[in-house]
Amino acid sequence: MTKSVILTGLRANNDLTLGNYFGGMLPMIDMAKTRSEEFQINMFIPDLHSFTTPIDHSQLFEQVLQNAKLFVAAGLPINNDDINLYRQSFIPAHSELTWILDNFTGFGQMERMTQFKDKSAGASEVSVGLFNYPVLMAADILLYGAKYVPVGDDQTQHLEFTRDIAERVNTRFGALFVIPEPVKKQHEFFGKDQGLRIMDLVDPTKKMSKSDEFGKGVIFLNDEPDVAAKKIMSATTDDKANVTFDRVNQPGISNLLEIASLIRGKSIDETAKQFEGESRYGEFKKIVAEEVRVFLSEFQMRLASVDESEVLNKLESSEVRMNEQANATLLNVQQAVGLRKKA
Ligand code: TRP
């Protein structure tokens, strides 16, 4: 029996935030570690998808490699053969299957994709690539017969689309694809609400996001540790003079408690307890700022010591295996649609 597949795409990005780290990377890595006995884990960097937002092409290749290193620095094991780490464009079947699926996909359905509508609204030029993005994502998933795909809210429609196209093709040509589980089942499987939300330091009512205009409310993984500590010191708080976890009435203080808890790997309750009765926000911030400073300098040191050739070896060996699996699926499809002789 072959194992069911859990698959996730990790967008190449050279300015990941503390929010991305604790909200995206770490849960993914934990999932990979804990589920790899039972499942085949596919973690890949969708480098072809990178084209759909403005990027510096001269940096892309290195950036993808840097992202793979970030995952290793964050604890992704590379000596585990059940965890595959690969680059999308190194498996040409992704592009080929996309083209085939394109021809069984309705223009109308694609036009209704919320993310496409949002990203194209008001843009002076909209590429066919942006339009076609969900079909490539469907190919990413279907080539490996992935059953479980953890997706954020912005990607659930694309997952539904993947199920849809897979069912349509299966109905017409026979059981070519494994249908991924519906979104509700995905949430049950992965545990949807981990309550993990790092907020902006300047405006703690919105999520910490790299698109923040000035970067003052955002801690980047590559921030100078001292600069990051200063951002914590100037984080927005309130006038209640009481360090308590209360997202509604004290969002700024709660956010700092959250950050400290995540760095410590402790529960919020435990962290909050330490500061019970503390009325001097300056003192509280100093402690959190120092923990952030130490966390970042240690992370950056780990990143600098990641062995690039080991990461490349991991990518390359995964890519060999992934090409085999993807090509097998592609061949079935090619035979079904008449491009190859039936076996
Ligand atoms: N679209 C995803 C994102 O923006 C990245 C992605 C590409 C992906 N292909 C995928 C995620 C396949 C899961 C499965 O985050």
Side-chain angles (χ1 to χ4, degrees), residues 55-127:
I55 48 158
D56 180 349
H57 290 271
S58 71
Q59 299 294 318
L60 181 59
F61 184 84
E62 285 304 321
Q63 194 178 307
V64 168
L65 206 55
Q66 183 65 15
N67 267 75
K69 284 199 215 160
L70 272 174
F71 275 87
V72 175
L76 184 74
I78 49 176
N79 52 5
N80 180 337
D81 279 343
D82 294 309
I83 302 177
N84 299 288
L85 180 67
Y86 57 99
R87 296 161 287 187
Q88 182 187 40
S89 74
F90 281 70
I91 294 106
H94 289 242
S95 307
E96 289 199 40
L97 183 61
T98 299
W99 173 254
I100 295 174
L101 295 179
D102 275 343
N103 294 281
F104 299 98
T105 303
F107 199 86
Q109 180 176 26
M110 297 295 285
E111 263 181 332
R112 289 191 294 276
M113 292 287 148
T114 312
Q115 190 173 65
F116 172 72
K117 286 198 285 191
D118 289 350
K119 288 201 171 168
S120 58
S124 56
E125 250 175 76
V126 179
S127 74

Side-chain angles (χ1 to χ4, degrees), residues 123-170:
S124 56
E125 250 175 76
V126 179
S127 74
V128 176
L130 181 65
F131 186 70
N132 207 20
Y133 180 116
V135 184
L136 177 57
M137 182 161 162
D140 296 338
I141 296 169
L142 298 175
L143 279 173
Y144 306 94
K147 199 165 160 191
Y148 292 106
V149 184
V151 283
D153 290 339
D154 61 330
Q155 299 297 322
T156 56
Q157 197 183 22
H158 296 162
L159 186 67
E160 290 300 353
F161 166 74
T162 303
R163 287 169 44 79
D164 220 62
I165 176 87
E167 275 165 3
R168 201 165 336 124
V169 171
N170 280 359

Side-chain angles (χ1 to χ4, degrees), residues 47 53 174 316:
D47 51 356
T53 43
E316 285 164 9

Side-chain angles (χ1 to χ4, degrees), residues 285-304:
K285 280 177 162 178
K286 245 190 245 164
I287 294 173
V288 180
E290 176 60 11
E291 289 180 16
V292 167
R293 196 189 62 74
V294 170
F295 166 78
L296 278 187
S297 52
E298 286 177 359
F299 179 75
Q300 290 168 5
M301 232 143 53
R302 261 201 316 280
L303 181 61

Side-chain angles (χ1 to χ4, degrees), residues 46 225 247:
R247 281 237 184 255

